[in-house]
Amino acid sequence: MGRRERAKKETSAGGVVFRLTGDGPKYLLIKDPYSKWGLPKGHLRRGEGPEDAARREVEEETGLGELVLHRPLGEIDWYFRFRGRLIHKTCHFFLCESLAGVPKPQTEEGITQCCWYSFDEAVDTLSYDNARTILREAGAAVRDLHLDAGQGE
């Protein structure tokens, strides 16, 4: 009977970035080094928590500052091979509101584009099913924020 390979655990964090516009909320997607559309994310540094890592990675990969982190959106995990080693990656996502600025892709990390999309366009454009799950959670959270902001006036 063969021995099961033990996966190396890795943790990363990222964000679903949205901006409120006159045409409703827009969501920012990045084109990654594999020419796939995804969400900004990256590894935690030693001693860094997921929330701080999410803010840093979103800022680095999109060039956007002035981010407001609203709340956690959950996590996704997947397995992949890197240099022959099985990796089990868990990524924590946060809802990030961008208040200003023009996104600029972090080309040195292989990110070639950053584009704003309506919710439906973003769902259709995303290349990864597990990212779609997080985007749907973000869409519901943005609707809740938007409805809450309109109450009590």
Side-chain angles (χ1 to χ4, degrees):
M1 203 157 135
R3 192 170 75 79
R4 249 181 73 191
E5 181 179 2
R6 177 177 244 112
K8 178 180 184 244
K9 291 183 186 268
E10 290 187 1
T11 305
S12 60
V16 176
V17 181
F18 77 96
R19 183 177 286 172
L20 296 176
T21 72
D23 295 331
K26 301 291 184 199
Y27 297 84
L28 189 68
L29 302 183
I30 63 167
K31 197 169 209 182
D32 68 21
Y34 310 103
S35 294
K36 304 277 189 183
W37 288 99
L39 301 169
K41 65 185 180 325
H43 289 93
L44 273 65
R45 293 180 176 160
R46 187 180 307 278
E48 186 177 45
E51 190 170 316
D52 290 335
R55 180 187 303 278
R56 177 183 52 77
E57 285 291 342
V58 169
E59 288 178 356
E60 288 174 0
E61 292 190 357
T62 68
L64 293 172
E66 295 188 56
L67 294 172
V68 177
L69 264 66
H70 285 284
R71 70 173 188 81
L73 292 170
E75 57 189 55
I76 58 177
D77 71 310
W78 65 98
Y79 289 85
F80 65 97
R81 286 202 176 274
F82 182 71
R83 296 184 179 151
R85 182 87 197 260
L86 184 63
I87 309 290
H88 180 201
K89 169 95 62 149
T90 300
C91 187
H92 302 265
F93 279 96
F94 295 84
L95 184 63
C96 302
E97 185 174 4
S98 170
L99 301 175
V102 176
K104 180 180 179 299
Q106 189 183 22
T107 53
E108 59 273 18
E109 288 292 322
I111 297 165
T112 57
Q113 293 181 55
C114 295
C115 296
W116 294 105
Y117 293 97
S118 71
F119 177 78
D120 290 339
E121 291 169 333
V123 168
D124 289 344
T125 302
L126 270 172
S127 300
Y128 304 103
D129 286 339
N130 55 7
R132 257 185 222 101
T133 302
I134 292 295
L135 179 61
R136 285 188 180 99
E137 181 68 28
V142 169
R143 283 190 296 278
D144 289 347
L145 283 173
H146 196 59
L147 291 173
D148 290 348
Q151 292 178 2
E153 291 179 7

